[in-house]
Amino acid sequence: MKSFNNDIGAYAFLGLLVATVWAIPLAVFLHRDAHGSPMELPRCLEARTLDQVRAALEAQGNRTVLGLYAATEVRSGANRDYRRCMATVVTDDGEAHIGFTIGWHDRRNGIPFWAGDGLPSSRQSVSKH
């Protein structure tokens, strides 16, 4: 009968083999969202995007955002690591076109960021209602 010390190399090899076989699919799984697709940035028209942009616009000054609509993607990064968007915002001063960017704050954990150009001064608004 073999002693345990002689078989430890075989057990270590088997353990590494099993760990490797499980680690590769696990790494792929962890890099995917709940639907099984690779992590993707929020789109320009998604509700959470519009909520984030609206909150940032209202926080930057004393103007109320009455509406935010017609958000479209104008450009994206080669690796889909950012989206550049344009939208129309309606404030109590009038209507204006704004630009904002969606990017990865922490891609691994699926945490995006939103950054924008901000509201133009009330004299630069596109139209008055």
Side-chain angles (χ1 to χ4, degrees):
M1 181 164 117
K2 291 183 180 180
S3 71
F4 179 75
N5 289 337
N6 291 338
D7 291 334
I8 198 159
Y11 288 125
F13 175 75
L14 183 61
L16 286 173
L17 182 63
V18 168
T20 303
V21 167
W22 281 97
I24 292 170
L26 182 62
V28 170
F29 173 76
L30 291 176
H31 185 65
R32 296 180 179 273
D33 64 8
H35 303 291
S37 60
M39 296 293 269
E40 188 173 321
L41 282 170
R43 299 200 180 279
C44 298
L45 267 175
E46 282 186 24
R48 73 175 175 165
T49 295
L50 297 178
D51 288 344
Q52 290 286 337
V53 172
R54 176 189 303 260
L57 290 172
E58 287 183 340
Q60 87 176 124
N62 56 1
R63 296 183 355 206
T64 304
V65 175
L66 303 173
L68 185 61
Y69 65 95
T72 57
E73 184 175 318
V74 247
R75 182 179 33 200
S76 64
N79 296 332
R80 305 295 279 173
D81 54 349
Y82 75 91
R83 295 182 198 274
R84 182 70 181 147
C85 309
M86 297 296 292
T88 302
V89 62
V90 178
T91 65
D92 46 1
D93 290 340
E95 193 174 280
H97 298 288
I98 60 161
F100 60 93
T101 302
I102 307 166
W104 286 116
H105 173 69
D106 183 353
R107 180 190 295 262
R108 183 174 197 177
N109 292 313
I111 302 171
F113 74 84
W114 292 266
D117 300 338
L119 286 170
S121 67
S122 60
R123 288 177 238 116
Q124 296 174 344
S125 292
V126 174
S127 65
K128 188 87 168 165
H129 288 287

mmCIF file of all heavy atoms in Angstrom, residues 2 7 12 14 20 24 34 38 44 46 50-51 54 59 65 70-71 87 94 104 120 127:
data_model
loop_
_atom_site.group_PDB
_atom_site.id
_atom_site.type_symbol
_atom_site.label_atom_id
_atom_site.label_comp_id
_atom_site.label_asym_id
_atom_site.label_seq_id
_atom_site.Cartn_x
_atom_site.Cartn_y
_atom_site.Cartn_z
ATOM 1 N N LYS A 2 0.502 2.231 -0.839
ATOM 2 C CA LYS A 2 1.274 3.471 -0.921
ATOM 3 C C LYS A 2 0.939 4.360 0.267
ATOM 4 O O LYS A 2 -0.183 4.391 0.749
ATOM 5 C CB LYS A 2 0.927 4.239 -2.185
ATOM 6 C CG LYS A 2 1.391 3.589 -3.451
ATOM 7 C CD LYS A 2 1.048 4.502 -4.593
ATOM 8 C CE LYS A 2 1.475 3.917 -5.905
ATOM 9 N NZ LYS A 2 1.157 4.764 -7.021
ATOM 10 N N ASP A 7 1.333 10.073 -2.744
ATOM 11 C CA ASP A 7 0.211 10.454 -3.602
ATOM 12 C C ASP A 7 -0.106 11.954 -3.559
ATOM 13 O O ASP A 7 -0.976 12.410 -4.286
ATOM 14 C CB ASP A 7 -1.047 9.685 -3.191
ATOM 15 C CG ASP A 7 -0.927 8.202 -3.513
ATOM 16 O OD1 ASP A 7 -0.171 7.873 -4.445
ATOM 17 O OD2 ASP A 7 -1.603 7.413 -2.834
ATOM 18 N N ALA A 12 -2.415 17.051 -5.726
ATOM 19 C CA ALA A 12 -2.190 18.468 -6.026
ATOM 20 C C ALA A 12 -2.445 18.740 -7.499
ATOM 21 O O ALA A 12 -3.088 19.731 -7.869
ATOM 22 C CB ALA A 12 -0.769 18.870 -5.643
ATOM 23 N N LEU A 14 -4.376 17.005 -9.559
ATOM 24 C CA LEU A 14 -5.810 16.859 -9.790
ATOM 25 C C LEU A 14 -6.566 18.093 -9.281
ATOM 26 O O LEU A 14 -7.476 18.584 -9.943
ATOM 27 C CB LEU A 14 -6.333 15.597 -9.098
ATOM 28 C CG LEU A 14 -7.815 15.286 -9.315
ATOM 29 C CD1 LEU A 14 -8.106 15.057 -10.783
ATOM 30 C CD2 LEU A 14 -8.222 14.071 -8.489
ATOM 31 N N THR A 20 -8.670 24.832 -12.479
ATOM 32 C CA THR A 20 -8.548 25.483 -13.782
ATOM 33 C C THR A 20 -9.805 25.282 -14.618
ATOM 34 O O THR A 20 -10.293 26.212 -15.248
ATOM 35 C CB THR A 20 -7.319 24.941 -14.535
ATOM 36 O OG1 THR A 20 -6.164 25.155 -13.733
ATOM 37 C CG2 THR A 20 -7.147 25.640 -15.864
ATOM 38 N N ILE A 24 -12.077 29.098 -15.517
ATOM 39 C CA ILE A 24 -12.299 29.746 -16.813
ATOM 40 C C ILE A 24 -13.782 30.042 -17.038
ATOM 41 O O ILE A 24 -14.144 31.189 -17.320
ATOM 42 C CB ILE A 24 -11.682 28.919 -17.952
ATOM 43 C CG1 ILE A 24 -10.147 28.955 -17.812
ATOM 44 C CG2 ILE A 24 -12.110 29.456 -19.311
ATOM 45 C CD1 ILE A 24 -9.423 28.006 -18.719
ATOM 46 N N ALA A 34 -26.898 39.680 -16.064
ATOM 47 C CA ALA A 34 -27.901 38.665 -15.731
ATOM 48 C C ALA A 34 -28.466 37.962 -16.958
ATOM 49 O O ALA A 34 -28.977 36.856 -16.864
ATOM 50 C CB ALA A 34 -29.037 39.310 -14.948
ATOM 51 N N PRO A 38 -22.212 40.150 -22.608
ATOM 52 C CA PRO A 38 -21.141 40.957 -22.021
ATOM 53 C C PRO A 38 -21.698 42.266 -21.464
ATOM 54 O O PRO A 38 -22.701 42.779 -21.942
ATOM 55 C CB PRO A 38 -20.213 41.222 -23.201
ATOM 56 C CG PRO A 38 -20.501 40.136 -24.164
ATOM 57 C CD PRO A 38 -21.949 39.799 -23.991
ATOM 58 N N CYS A 44 -28.495 55.778 -24.260
ATOM 59 C CA CYS A 44 -28.811 57.197 -24.086
ATOM 60 C C CYS A 44 -30.253 57.427 -23.656
ATOM 61 O O CYS A 44 -30.537 58.336 -22.890
ATOM 62 C CB CYS A 44 -28.548 57.949 -25.388
ATOM 63 S SG CYS A 44 -26.817 57.882 -25.923
ATOM 64 N N GLU A 46 -32.260 55.273 -21.961
ATOM 65 C CA GLU A 46 -32.713 54.502 -20.810
ATOM 66 C C GLU A 46 -33.155 55.425 -19.680
ATOM 67 O O GLU A 46 -32.620 56.520 -19.500
ATOM 68 C CB GLU A 46 -31.607 53.579 -20.295
ATOM 69 C CG GLU A 46 -31.439 52.346 -21.127
ATOM 70 C CD GLU A 46 -30.434 51.376 -20.524
ATOM 71 O OE1 GLU A 46 -30.204 51.414 -19.294
ATOM 72 O OE2 GLU A 46 -29.883 50.583 -21.291
ATOM 73 N N LEU A 50 -31.520 59.045 -18.234
ATOM 74 C CA LEU A 50 -32.235 60.318 -18.215
ATOM 75 C C LEU A 50 -32.414 60.833 -16.786
ATOM 76 O O LEU A 50 -32.318 62.045 -16.546
ATOM 77 C CB LEU A 50 -33.576 60.173 -18.926
ATOM 78 C CG LEU A 50 -33.471 59.820 -20.420
ATOM 79 C CD1 LEU A 50 -34.851 59.641 -21.022
ATOM 80 C CD2 LEU A 50 -32.656 60.846 -21.185
ATOM 81 N N ASP A 51 -32.630 59.939 -15.832
ATOM 82 C CA ASP A 51 -32.741 60.347 -14.426
ATOM 83 C C ASP A 51 -31.434 60.942 -13.921
ATOM 84 O O ASP A 51 -31.428 61.961 -13.223
ATOM 85 C CB ASP A 51 -33.146 59.162 -13.540
ATOM 86 C CG ASP A 51 -34.585 58.744 -13.741
ATOM 87 O OD1 ASP A 51 -35.374 59.517 -14.323
ATOM 88 O OD2 ASP A 51 -34.929 57.616 -13.319
ATOM 89 N N ARG A 54 -30.894 64.383 -15.670
ATOM 90 C CA ARG A 54 -31.842 65.366 -15.129
ATOM 91 C C ARG A 54 -31.393 65.825 -13.732
ATOM 92 O O ARG A 54 -31.365 67.017 -13.430
ATOM 93 C CB ARG A 54 -33.241 64.780 -15.043
ATOM 94 C CG ARG A 54 -34.263 65.717 -14.400
ATOM 95 C CD ARG A 54 -35.573 65.003 -14.137
ATOM 96 N NE ARG A 54 -36.124 64.441 -15.336
ATOM 97 C CZ ARG A 54 -37.093 64.997 -16.057
ATOM 98 N NH1 ARG A 54 -37.610 66.131 -15.667
ATOM 99 N NH2 ARG A 54 -37.534 64.413 -17.134
ATOM 100 N N ALA A 59 -29.086 69.969 -10.252
ATOM 101 C CA ALA A 59 -28.159 70.241 -9.155
ATOM 102 C C ALA A 59 -27.173 71.344 -9.489
ATOM 103 O O ALA A 59 -26.624 71.983 -8.596
ATOM 104 C CB ALA A 59 -27.393 68.969 -8.791
ATOM 105 N N VAL A 65 -35.709 71.472 -14.481
ATOM 106 C CA VAL A 65 -35.795 70.722 -15.732
ATOM 107 C C VAL A 65 -37.219 70.202 -15.846
ATOM 108 O O VAL A 65 -37.667 69.387 -15.049
ATOM 109 C CB VAL A 65 -34.780 69.559 -15.765
ATOM 110 C CG1 VAL A 65 -34.983 68.725 -17.015
ATOM 111 C CG2 VAL A 65 -33.362 70.089 -15.703
ATOM 112 N N ALA A 70 -35.646 63.119 -26.672
ATOM 113 C CA ALA A 70 -34.937 62.959 -27.952
ATOM 114 C C ALA A 70 -33.445 62.680 -27.754
ATOM 115 O O ALA A 70 -32.614 63.170 -28.511
ATOM 116 C CB ALA A 70 -35.150 64.177 -28.850
ATOM 117 N N ALA A 71 -33.125 61.874 -26.761
ATOM 118 C CA ALA A 71 -31.718 61.509 -26.541
ATOM 119 C C ALA A 71 -31.287 60.519 -27.621
ATOM 120 O O ALA A 71 -31.957 59.514 -27.854
ATOM 121 C CB ALA A 71 -31.537 60.897 -25.161
ATOM 122 N N ALA A 87 -29.219 65.393 -26.429
ATOM 123 C CA ALA A 87 -30.619 65.388 -26.019
ATOM 124 C C ALA A 87 -31.139 66.824 -25.998
ATOM 125 O O ALA A 87 -30.370 67.776 -26.019
ATOM 126 C CB ALA A 87 -30.769 64.758 -24.641
ATOM 127 N N GLY A 94 -36.614 77.838 -21.215
ATOM 128 C CA GLY A 94 -36.770 77.510 -22.632
ATOM 129 C C GLY A 94 -36.231 76.128 -22.937
ATOM 130 O O GLY A 94 -36.130 75.265 -22.068
ATOM 131 N N TRP A 104 -17.545 53.947 -18.370
ATOM 132 C CA TRP A 104 -17.375 53.014 -17.255
ATOM 133 C C TRP A 104 -16.602 53.664 -16.124
ATOM 134 O O TRP A 104 -15.470 54.099 -16.312
ATOM 135 C CB TRP A 104 -16.629 51.763 -17.699
ATOM 136 C CG TRP A 104 -17.452 50.845 -18.524
ATOM 137 C CD1 TRP A 104 -17.226 50.503 -19.826
ATOM 138 C CD2 TRP A 104 -18.614 50.129 -18.114
ATOM 139 N NE1 TRP A 104 -18.196 49.636 -20.245
ATOM 140 C CE2 TRP A 104 -19.060 49.371 -19.220
ATOM 141 C CE3 TRP A 104 -19.334 50.055 -16.929
ATOM 142 C CZ2 TRP A 104 -20.190 48.566 -19.164
ATOM 143 C CZ3 TRP A 104 -20.452 49.250 -16.876
ATOM 144 C CH2 TRP A 104 -20.862 48.517 -17.985
ATOM 145 N N PRO A 120 -26.772 75.490 -20.934
ATOM 146 C CA PRO A 120 -26.230 76.786 -21.357
ATOM 147 C C PRO A 120 -26.854 77.885 -20.498
ATOM 148 O O PRO A 120 -27.881 77.670 -19.856
ATOM 149 C CB PRO A 120 -26.678 76.898 -22.819
ATOM 150 C CG PRO A 120 -27.851 75.991 -22.943
ATOM 151 C CD PRO A 120 -27.657 74.903 -21.919
ATOM 152 N N SER A 127 -34.708 78.031 -27.838
ATOM 153 C CA SER A 127 -35.993 78.668 -28.091
ATOM 154 C C SER A 127 -36.722 78.913 -26.796
ATOM 155 O O SER A 127 -36.490 78.244 -25.798
ATOM 156 C CB SER A 127 -36.836 77.804 -29.024
ATOM 157 O OG SER A 127 -37.162 76.591 -28.398
#
